[in-house]
Amino acid sequence: MARIDDVKRENLSPRQQQLHDDFLKSRPRPTLTGPFSVLIHTPDIAEPADRLVNYYRDNPKLGRRLIELIILMLCRSATVQYAWSVHEPLALKEGITQDVIDAIRARKRPDFKRDDERSIYDFVTELLANKTVSAATFERTKAAFGLEGVIEAVTCSGLYGMIGLVLNVFDIPPQPGKPLS
């Protein structure tokens, strides 16, 4: 059970109401759920976080498929039920195979068929384990995706790490689907 009440638009300040309406314009749900049902209580955090989420949703240089791979890895790392339930179907839609998703769910290294997925997986795995990456990993990833791609991979990892913490601390329940264990 969530540690925070459901957001009721009529109980929000005018600024929060505007944010509420803006958030729902870019999400396929009729009510405010997930991390923004928490973050809306602090608009100065919610607003820039939403801009970052929308950046990764709309037109990342890495492409949506690799962004969804990063998000699933962060969700699995911290067992973020809500974000996994939202992003597993998005990852499938973007072309991540069910075999890769199931391996990540099981905390196993996937048998990648795509080199770009393998590269991102290796980068994020090292980043999560060491909180940095080696010079060799950095240069390999930069050669494959450019400096902007490395920046996106790191900042997406950080953003979804933060989102995962918010979701877990506030016990936001997942959407229907196959849960993480």
Side-chain angles (χ1 to χ4, degrees), residues 38-92:
V38 175
L39 297 178
I40 197 165
H41 296 282
T42 309
D44 287 340
I45 295 172
E47 196 167 21
D50 185 55
R51 282 196 305 274
L52 278 173
V53 166
N54 286 331
Y55 171 85
Y56 291 110
R57 181 184 292 132
D58 294 339
N59 199 23
K61 307 291 185 274
L62 287 174
R64 286 295 315 255
R65 180 174 49 87
L66 296 179
I67 293 300
E68 291 301 331
L69 176 61
I70 293 168
I71 293 169
L72 288 183
M73 291 179 70
L74 268 291
C75 292
R76 175 67 278 179
S77 174
T79 311
V80 184
Q81 299 283 355
Y82 179 92
W84 183 276
S85 72
V86 169
H87 287 277
E88 180 181 14
L90 294 174
L92 282 167

Short mmCIF file of all heavy atoms in Angstrom, two decimals, residues 38-92:
data_model
loop_
_atom_site.label_atom_id
_atom_site.label_comp_id
_atom_site.label_asym_id
_atom_site.label_seq_id
_atom_site.Cartn_x
_atom_site.Cartn_y
_atom_site.Cartn_z
N VAL A 38 4.12 11.40 -6.37
CA VAL A 38 4.90 11.80 -5.19
C VAL A 38 5.56 13.15 -5.44
O VAL A 38 5.42 14.09 -4.65
CB VAL A 38 5.99 10.75 -4.87
CG1 VAL A 38 6.88 11.23 -3.72
CG2 VAL A 38 5.37 9.39 -4.55
N LEU A 39 6.26 13.25 -6.57
CA LEU A 39 7.05 14.45 -6.85
C LEU A 39 6.21 15.72 -6.99
O LEU A 39 6.71 16.81 -6.71
CB LEU A 39 7.90 14.25 -8.11
CG LEU A 39 8.94 13.13 -8.03
CD1 LEU A 39 9.67 13.00 -9.36
CD2 LEU A 39 9.92 13.38 -6.89
N ILE A 40 4.95 15.59 -7.36
CA ILE A 40 4.11 16.78 -7.53
C ILE A 40 4.00 17.58 -6.23
O ILE A 40 3.77 18.78 -6.25
CB ILE A 40 2.71 16.42 -8.07
CG1 ILE A 40 2.04 17.68 -8.61
CG2 ILE A 40 1.87 15.70 -7.01
CD1 ILE A 40 0.84 17.43 -9.48
N HIS A 41 4.25 16.93 -5.11
CA HIS A 41 4.20 17.62 -3.83
C HIS A 41 5.37 18.57 -3.64
O HIS A 41 5.35 19.41 -2.73
CB HIS A 41 4.12 16.61 -2.68
CG HIS A 41 2.85 15.81 -2.73
ND1 HIS A 41 1.64 16.30 -2.30
CD2 HIS A 41 2.62 14.56 -3.20
CE1 HIS A 41 0.71 15.39 -2.49
NE2 HIS A 41 1.28 14.32 -3.03
N THR A 42 6.39 18.45 -4.49
CA THR A 42 7.53 19.36 -4.50
C THR A 42 7.74 19.81 -5.94
O THR A 42 8.58 19.27 -6.67
CB THR A 42 8.80 18.66 -3.94
OG1 THR A 42 8.47 18.06 -2.69
CG2 THR A 42 9.93 19.65 -3.74
N PRO A 43 6.97 20.81 -6.38
CA PRO A 43 7.00 21.22 -7.78
C PRO A 43 8.39 21.58 -8.32
O PRO A 43 8.67 21.33 -9.50
CB PRO A 43 6.07 22.43 -7.82
CG PRO A 43 5.12 22.21 -6.69
CD PRO A 43 5.96 21.55 -5.62
N ASP A 44 9.26 22.14 -7.47
CA ASP A 44 10.59 22.52 -7.96
C ASP A 44 11.45 21.29 -8.31
O ASP A 44 12.44 21.43 -9.03
CB ASP A 44 11.32 23.39 -6.94
CG ASP A 44 10.74 24.80 -6.87
OD1 ASP A 44 10.06 25.21 -7.84
OD2 ASP A 44 10.95 25.48 -5.85
N ILE A 45 11.08 20.13 -7.82
CA ILE A 45 11.74 18.89 -8.22
C ILE A 45 10.95 18.22 -9.36
O ILE A 45 11.54 17.73 -10.32
CB ILE A 45 11.87 17.93 -7.02
CG1 ILE A 45 12.82 18.53 -5.97
CG2 ILE A 45 12.36 16.54 -7.47
CD1 ILE A 45 12.87 17.76 -4.67
N ALA A 46 9.63 18.22 -9.23
CA ALA A 46 8.78 17.54 -10.22
C ALA A 46 8.95 18.11 -11.62
O ALA A 46 9.04 17.35 -12.59
CB ALA A 46 7.32 17.64 -9.79
N GLU A 47 9.00 19.42 -11.73
CA GLU A 47 9.05 20.05 -13.05
C GLU A 47 10.32 19.69 -13.84
O GLU A 47 10.23 19.21 -14.97
CB GLU A 47 8.89 21.56 -12.90
CG GLU A 47 8.54 22.25 -14.17
CD GLU A 47 8.08 23.68 -13.91
OE1 GLU A 47 8.38 24.26 -12.84
OE2 GLU A 47 7.40 24.22 -14.80
N PRO A 48 11.52 19.86 -13.27
CA PRO A 48 12.71 19.46 -14.05
C PRO A 48 12.81 17.94 -14.24
O PRO A 48 13.30 17.49 -15.29
CB PRO A 48 13.88 20.01 -13.25
CG PRO A 48 13.37 20.32 -11.90
CD PRO A 48 11.89 20.55 -12.03
N ALA A 49 12.34 17.17 -13.28
CA ALA A 49 12.36 15.71 -13.46
C ALA A 49 11.47 15.31 -14.64
O ALA A 49 11.84 14.45 -15.44
CB ALA A 49 11.90 15.01 -12.17
N ASP A 50 10.33 15.96 -14.76
CA ASP A 50 9.43 15.67 -15.89
C ASP A 50 10.08 16.04 -17.22
O ASP A 50 9.93 15.31 -18.20
CB ASP A 50 8.10 16.43 -15.70
CG ASP A 50 7.09 16.08 -16.78
OD1 ASP A 50 6.80 14.87 -16.94
OD2 ASP A 50 6.60 17.00 -17.44
N ARG A 51 10.80 17.14 -17.25
CA ARG A 51 11.49 17.52 -18.50
C ARG A 51 12.51 16.45 -18.89
O ARG A 51 12.63 16.10 -20.06
CB ARG A 51 12.15 18.88 -18.36
CG ARG A 51 11.16 20.04 -18.48
CD ARG A 51 11.83 21.39 -18.72
NE ARG A 51 12.81 21.76 -17.73
CZ ARG A 51 12.55 22.38 -16.59
NH1 ARG A 51 11.31 22.71 -16.29
NH2 ARG A 51 13.52 22.68 -15.75
N LEU A 52 13.24 15.93 -17.92
CA LEU A 52 14.20 14.86 -18.21
C LEU A 52 13.50 13.59 -18.69
O LEU A 52 13.91 12.97 -19.67
CB LEU A 52 15.06 14.56 -16.99
CG LEU A 52 16.24 15.48 -16.75
CD1 LEU A 52 16.89 15.17 -15.41
CD2 LEU A 52 17.25 15.35 -17.87
N VAL A 53 12.45 13.19 -17.99
CA VAL A 53 11.70 11.99 -18.41
C VAL A 53 11.19 12.18 -19.84
O VAL A 53 11.31 11.27 -20.67
CB VAL A 53 10.54 11.70 -17.43
CG1 VAL A 53 9.56 10.70 -18.02
CG2 VAL A 53 11.09 11.20 -16.09
N ASN A 54 10.66 13.35 -20.13
CA ASN A 54 10.15 13.60 -21.48
C ASN A 54 11.25 13.62 -22.52
O ASN A 54 11.04 13.21 -23.66
CB ASN A 54 9.33 14.89 -21.53
CG ASN A 54 7.98 14.71 -20.87
OD1 ASN A 54 7.41 13.63 -20.86
ND2 ASN A 54 7.46 15.79 -20.30
N TYR A 55 12.43 14.07 -22.15
CA TYR A 55 13.56 14.03 -23.07
C TYR A 55 13.81 12.58 -23.49
O TYR A 55 13.95 12.28 -24.68
CB TYR A 55 14.82 14.61 -22.41
CG TYR A 55 16.06 14.39 -23.24
CD1 TYR A 55 16.39 15.27 -24.26
CD2 TYR A 55 16.86 13.27 -23.05
CE1 TYR A 55 17.52 15.05 -25.05
CE2 TYR A 55 17.98 13.04 -23.84
CZ TYR A 55 18.31 13.94 -24.83
OH TYR A 55 19.40 13.70 -25.63
N TYR A 56 13.88 11.67 -22.53
CA TYR A 56 14.14 10.26 -22.84
C TYR A 56 12.96 9.61 -23.54
O TYR A 56 13.13 8.69 -24.32
CB TYR A 56 14.53 9.48 -21.58
CG TYR A 56 15.88 9.90 -21.09
CD1 TYR A 56 16.03 10.62 -19.91
CD2 TYR A 56 17.02 9.64 -21.84
CE1 TYR A 56 17.27 11.03 -19.49
CE2 TYR A 56 18.27 10.06 -21.42
CZ TYR A 56 18.38 10.76 -20.25
OH TYR A 56 19.62 11.18 -19.85
N ARG A 57 11.76 10.09 -23.30
CA ARG A 57 10.56 9.55 -23.93
C ARG A 57 10.46 10.01 -25.39
O ARG A 57 10.02 9.26 -26.26
CB ARG A 57 9.33 10.00 -23.16
CG ARG A 57 8.03 9.47 -23.72
CD ARG A 57 6.82 10.01 -22.98
NE ARG A 57 6.78 9.50 -21.62
CZ ARG A 57 6.58 10.23 -20.54
NH1 ARG A 57 6.39 11.53 -20.64
NH2 ARG A 57 6.55 9.69 -19.34
N ASP A 58 10.86 11.26 -25.66
CA ASP A 58 10.58 11.86 -26.96
C ASP A 58 11.64 11.62 -28.03
O ASP A 58 11.29 11.23 -29.14
CB ASP A 58 10.34 13.37 -26.80
CG ASP A 58 9.08 13.67 -26.01
OD1 ASP A 58 8.20 12.80 -25.93
OD2 ASP A 58 8.99 14.78 -25.46
N ASN A 59 12.90 11.86 -27.73
CA ASN A 59 13.86 11.79 -28.82
C ASN A 59 15.30 11.62 -28.34
O ASN A 59 16.16 12.41 -28.69
CB ASN A 59 13.74 13.06 -29.68
CG ASN A 59 14.34 12.88 -31.05
OD1 ASN A 59 14.47 11.77 -31.54
ND2 ASN A 59 14.74 13.98 -31.65
N PRO A 60 15.58 10.58 -27.59
CA PRO A 60 16.96 10.40 -27.13
C PRO A 60 17.88 10.01 -28.29
O PRO A 60 17.46 9.31 -29.22
CB PRO A 60 16.84 9.27 -26.11
CG PRO A 60 15.65 8.48 -26.57
CD PRO A 60 14.70 9.51 -27.15
N LYS A 61 19.10 10.44 -28.21
CA LYS A 61 20.09 10.10 -29.25
C LYS A 61 20.34 8.60 -29.29
O LYS A 61 20.60 8.04 -30.35
CB LYS A 61 21.41 10.84 -29.01
CG LYS A 61 21.28 12.34 -28.83
CD LYS A 61 20.89 13.05 -30.11
CE LYS A 61 20.89 14.55 -29.95
NZ LYS A 61 19.69 15.15 -29.45
N LEU A 62 20.30 7.93 -28.14
CA LEU A 62 20.49 6.49 -28.09
C LEU A 62 19.32 5.72 -28.70
O LEU A 62 19.44 4.54 -29.00
CB LEU A 62 20.69 6.00 -26.65
CG LEU A 62 22.02 6.32 -25.99
CD1 LEU A 62 22.00 5.90 -24.53
CD2 LEU A 62 23.16 5.63 -26.72
N GLY A 63 18.19 6.36 -28.82
CA GLY A 63 16.98 5.69 -29.30
C GLY A 63 16.21 5.09 -28.13
O GLY A 63 16.77 4.77 -27.09
N ARG A 64 14.92 4.96 -28.32
CA ARG A 64 14.04 4.47 -27.25
C ARG A 64 14.35 3.03 -26.83
O ARG A 64 14.24 2.68 -25.66
CB ARG A 64 12.57 4.56 -27.70
CG ARG A 64 12.01 5.96 -27.74
CD ARG A 64 11.92 6.58 -26.37
NE ARG A 64 11.40 5.68 -25.39
CZ ARG A 64 10.18 5.71 -24.88
NH1 ARG A 64 9.36 6.64 -25.22
NH2 ARG A 64 9.79 4.80 -24.00
N ARG A 65 14.76 2.19 -27.76
CA ARG A 65 15.05 0.79 -27.43
C ARG A 65 16.14 0.71 -26.38
O ARG A 65 16.01 0.01 -25.36
CB ARG A 65 15.43 0.03 -28.70
CG ARG A 65 15.75 -1.43 -28.47
CD ARG A 65 15.96 -2.17 -29.79
NE ARG A 65 16.88 -1.48 -30.67
CZ ARG A 65 18.21 -1.62 -30.64
NH1 ARG A 65 18.78 -2.44 -29.78
NH2 ARG A 65 18.97 -0.95 -31.48
N LEU A 66 17.25 1.42 -26.58
CA LEU A 66 18.36 1.36 -25.62
C LEU A 66 18.02 2.07 -24.32
O LEU A 66 18.46 1.63 -23.25
CB LEU A 66 19.63 1.92 -26.25
CG LEU A 66 20.16 1.12 -27.44
CD1 LEU A 66 21.41 1.76 -28.01
CD2 LEU A 66 20.40 -0.34 -27.08
N ILE A 67 17.24 3.12 -24.39
CA ILE A 67 16.79 3.80 -23.16
C ILE A 67 15.93 2.84 -22.34
O ILE A 67 16.09 2.73 -21.12
CB ILE A 67 16.04 5.11 -23.48
CG1 ILE A 67 16.99 6.15 -24.09
CG2 ILE A 67 15.31 5.65 -22.24
CD1 ILE A 67 18.16 6.56 -23.22
N GLU A 68 15.04 2.11 -22.98
CA GLU A 68 14.20 1.16 -22.24
C GLU A 68 15.05 0.04 -21.64
O GLU A 68 14.77 -0.42 -20.53
CB GLU A 68 13.09 0.59 -23.13
CG GLU A 68 12.02 1.60 -23.50
CD GLU A 68 11.29 2.21 -22.32
OE1 GLU A 68 11.16 1.56 -21.26
OE2 GLU A 68 10.83 3.36 -22.44
N LEU A 69 16.10 -0.37 -22.33
CA LEU A 69 17.02 -1.36 -21.77
C LEU A 69 17.67 -0.83 -20.49
O LEU A 69 17.71 -1.52 -19.47
CB LEU A 69 18.09 -1.75 -22.80
CG LEU A 69 19.17 -2.71 -22.31
CD1 LEU A 69 18.58 -4.05 -21.88
CD2 LEU A 69 20.23 -2.90 -23.40
N ILE A 70 18.15 0.41 -20.55
CA ILE A 70 18.75 1.03 -19.36
C ILE A 70 17.73 1.09 -18.22
O ILE A 70 18.04 0.74 -17.08
CB ILE A 70 19.29 2.44 -19.69
CG1 ILE A 70 20.47 2.34 -20.64
CG2 ILE A 70 19.67 3.19 -18.41
CD1 ILE A 70 20.89 3.68 -21.26
N ILE A 71 16.53 1.51 -18.52
CA ILE A 71 15.49 1.64 -17.49
C ILE A 71 15.21 0.28 -16.85
O ILE A 71 15.13 0.16 -15.62
CB ILE A 71 14.22 2.29 -18.05
CG1 ILE A 71 14.50 3.75 -18.44
CG2 ILE A 71 13.06 2.19 -17.05
CD1 ILE A 71 13.40 4.41 -19.25
N LEU A 72 15.08 -0.77 -17.67
CA LEU A 72 14.83 -2.10 -17.10
C LEU A 72 15.98 -2.54 -16.21
O LEU A 72 15.76 -3.14 -15.15
CB LEU A 72 14.61 -3.13 -18.21
CG LEU A 72 13.29 -3.05 -18.96
CD1 LEU A 72 13.19 -4.19 -19.97
CD2 LEU A 72 12.08 -3.03 -18.03
N MET A 73 17.20 -2.23 -16.62
CA MET A 73 18.36 -2.60 -15.79
C MET A 73 18.32 -1.89 -14.44
O MET A 73 18.62 -2.49 -13.41
CB MET A 73 19.66 -2.28 -16.53
CG MET A 73 19.88 -3.18 -17.74
SD MET A 73 21.39 -2.76 -18.60
CE MET A 73 22.61 -3.32 -17.38
N LEU A 74 17.95 -0.62 -14.44
CA LEU A 74 17.86 0.13 -13.18
C LEU A 74 16.71 -0.39 -12.33
O LEU A 74 16.85 -0.53 -11.10
CB LEU A 74 17.70 1.63 -13.46
CG LEU A 74 18.99 2.43 -13.53
CD1 LEU A 74 19.67 2.57 -12.20
CD2 LEU A 74 19.96 1.96 -14.58
N CYS A 75 15.58 -0.71 -12.97
CA CYS A 75 14.44 -1.26 -12.23
C CYS A 75 14.81 -2.58 -11.58
O CYS A 75 14.48 -2.83 -10.42
CB CYS A 75 13.26 -1.49 -13.18
SG CYS A 75 12.51 0.01 -13.82
N ARG A 76 15.49 -3.44 -12.32
CA ARG A 76 15.88 -4.75 -11.77
C ARG A 76 16.88 -4.58 -10.64
O ARG A 76 16.78 -5.23 -9.61
CB ARG A 76 16.48 -5.61 -12.89
CG ARG A 76 17.04 -6.95 -12.45
CD ARG A 76 16.01 -7.92 -11.94
NE ARG A 76 15.67 -7.66 -10.54
CZ ARG A 76 14.78 -8.33 -9.83
NH1 ARG A 76 14.10 -9.30 -10.35
NH2 ARG A 76 14.55 -8.03 -8.58
N SER A 77 17.84 -3.69 -10.83
CA SER A 77 18.89 -3.48 -9.82
C SER A 77 18.29 -3.12 -8.47
O SER A 77 18.76 -3.59 -7.44
CB SER A 77 19.84 -2.38 -10.30
OG SER A 77 20.77 -2.06 -9.31
N ALA A 78 17.25 -2.30 -8.46
CA ALA A 78 16.64 -1.84 -7.21
C ALA A 78 15.28 -2.47 -6.95
O ALA A 78 14.57 -2.05 -6.03
CB ALA A 78 16.52 -0.32 -7.22
N THR A 79 14.89 -3.46 -7.75
CA THR A 79 13.58 -4.11 -7.64
C THR A 79 12.47 -3.06 -7.54
O THR A 79 11.74 -2.98 -6.56
CB THR A 79 13.53 -5.11 -6.47
OG1 THR A 79 14.69 -5.96 -6.55
CG2 THR A 79 12.29 -5.99 -6.54
N VAL A 80 12.37 -2.26 -8.58
CA VAL A 80 11.37 -1.19 -8.64
C VAL A 80 10.15 -1.73 -9.40
O VAL A 80 10.09 -1.69 -10.63
CB VAL A 80 11.94 0.08 -9.32
CG1 VAL A 80 10.91 1.20 -9.30
CG2 VAL A 80 13.23 0.51 -8.65
N GLN A 81 9.20 -2.24 -8.63
CA GLN A 81 8.03 -2.92 -9.21
C GLN A 81 7.23 -2.01 -10.15
O GLN A 81 6.87 -2.43 -11.25
CB GLN A 81 7.12 -3.43 -8.08
CG GLN A 81 7.76 -4.43 -7.17
CD GLN A 81 7.84 -5.83 -7.78
OE1 GLN A 81 7.33 -6.10 -8.86
NE2 GLN A 81 8.48 -6.73 -7.08
N TYR A 82 6.91 -0.81 -9.69
CA TYR A 82 6.07 0.07 -10.51
C TYR A 82 6.72 0.36 -11.85
O TYR A 82 6.11 0.19 -12.91
CB TYR A 82 5.75 1.38 -9.77
CG TYR A 82 4.90 2.30 -10.63
CD1 TYR A 82 3.52 2.25 -10.55
CD2 TYR A 82 5.48 3.18 -11.54
CE1 TYR A 82 2.72 3.06 -11.36
CE2 TYR A 82 4.69 4.00 -12.35
CZ TYR A 82 3.33 3.93 -12.26
OH TYR A 82 2.55 4.72 -13.07
N ALA A 83 7.96 0.82 -11.83
CA ALA A 83 8.63 1.21 -13.09
C ALA A 83 8.81 0.00 -14.00
O ALA A 83 8.67 0.10 -15.22
CB ALA A 83 9.96 1.89 -12.80
N TRP A 84 9.11 -1.16 -13.43
CA TRP A 84 9.21 -2.37 -14.26
C TRP A 84 7.88 -2.64 -14.95
O TRP A 84 7.83 -2.93 -16.14
CB TRP A 84 9.65 -3.57 -13.42
CG TRP A 84 9.83 -4.80 -14.27
CD1 TRP A 84 8.86 -5.68 -14.67
CD2 TRP A 84 11.04 -5.26 -14.86
NE1 TRP A 84 9.40 -6.66 -15.46
CE2 TRP A 84 10.74 -6.42 -15.59
CE3 TRP A 84 12.36 -4.80 -14.83
CZ2 TRP A 84 11.70 -7.14 -16.29
CZ3 TRP A 84 13.32 -5.52 -15.53
CH2 TRP A 84 13.00 -6.67 -16.25
N SER A 85 6.79 -2.55 -14.19
CA SER A 85 5.46 -2.85 -14.76
C SER A 85 5.09 -1.90 -15.89
O SER A 85 4.38 -2.28 -16.81
CB SER A 85 4.39 -2.85 -13.66
OG SER A 85 4.10 -1.53 -13.20
N VAL A 86 5.59 -0.69 -15.83
CA VAL A 86 5.33 0.29 -16.89
C VAL A 86 6.28 0.09 -18.06
O VAL A 86 5.88 0.15 -19.22
CB VAL A 86 5.44 1.73 -16.34
CG1 VAL A 86 5.43 2.76 -17.46
CG2 VAL A 86 4.32 2.01 -15.34
N HIS A 87 7.54 -0.18 -17.77
CA HIS A 87 8.56 -0.18 -18.83
C HIS A 87 8.78 -1.52 -19.51
O HIS A 87 9.30 -1.55 -20.63
CB HIS A 87 9.87 0.41 -18.30
CG HIS A 87 9.77 1.88 -18.13
ND1 HIS A 87 9.95 2.76 -19.18
CD2 HIS A 87 9.43 2.63 -17.06
CE1 HIS A 87 9.77 3.99 -18.75
NE2 HIS A 87 9.44 3.94 -17.46
N GLU A 88 8.38 -2.63 -18.91
CA GLU A 88 8.51 -3.91 -19.62
C GLU A 88 7.73 -3.89 -20.93
O GLU A 88 8.29 -4.21 -21.99
CB GLU A 88 8.10 -5.09 -18.75
CG GLU A 88 8.24 -6.41 -19.51
CD GLU A 88 7.81 -7.63 -18.72
OE1 GLU A 88 7.16 -7.48 -17.68
OE2 GLU A 88 8.16 -8.74 -19.16
N PRO A 89 6.44 -3.51 -20.94
CA PRO A 89 5.73 -3.48 -22.22
C PRO A 89 6.31 -2.44 -23.20
O PRO A 89 6.30 -2.66 -24.41
CB PRO A 89 4.28 -3.14 -21.86
CG PRO A 89 4.22 -2.96 -20.40
CD PRO A 89 5.56 -3.24 -19.80
N LEU A 90 6.81 -1.33 -22.67
CA LEU A 90 7.43 -0.33 -23.55
C LEU A 90 8.70 -0.88 -24.18
O LEU A 90 8.97 -0.64 -25.36
CB LEU A 90 7.73 0.94 -22.77
CG LEU A 90 6.53 1.73 -22.26
CD1 LEU A 90 6.98 2.89 -21.37
CD2 LEU A 90 5.67 2.22 -23.41
N ALA A 91 9.49 -1.63 -23.40
CA ALA A 91 10.71 -2.23 -23.93
C ALA A 91 10.38 -3.22 -25.05
O ALA A 91 11.04 -3.24 -26.10
CB ALA A 91 11.49 -2.91 -22.81
N LEU A 92 9.36 -4.03 -24.84
CA LEU A 92 8.93 -4.97 -25.88
C LEU A 92 8.51 -4.22 -27.14
O LEU A 92 8.90 -4.59 -28.25
CB LEU A 92 7.76 -5.83 -25.38
CG LEU A 92 8.12 -6.98 -24.47
CD1 LEU A 92 6.88 -7.54 -23.80
CD2 LEU A 92 8.85 -8.07 -25.25
#
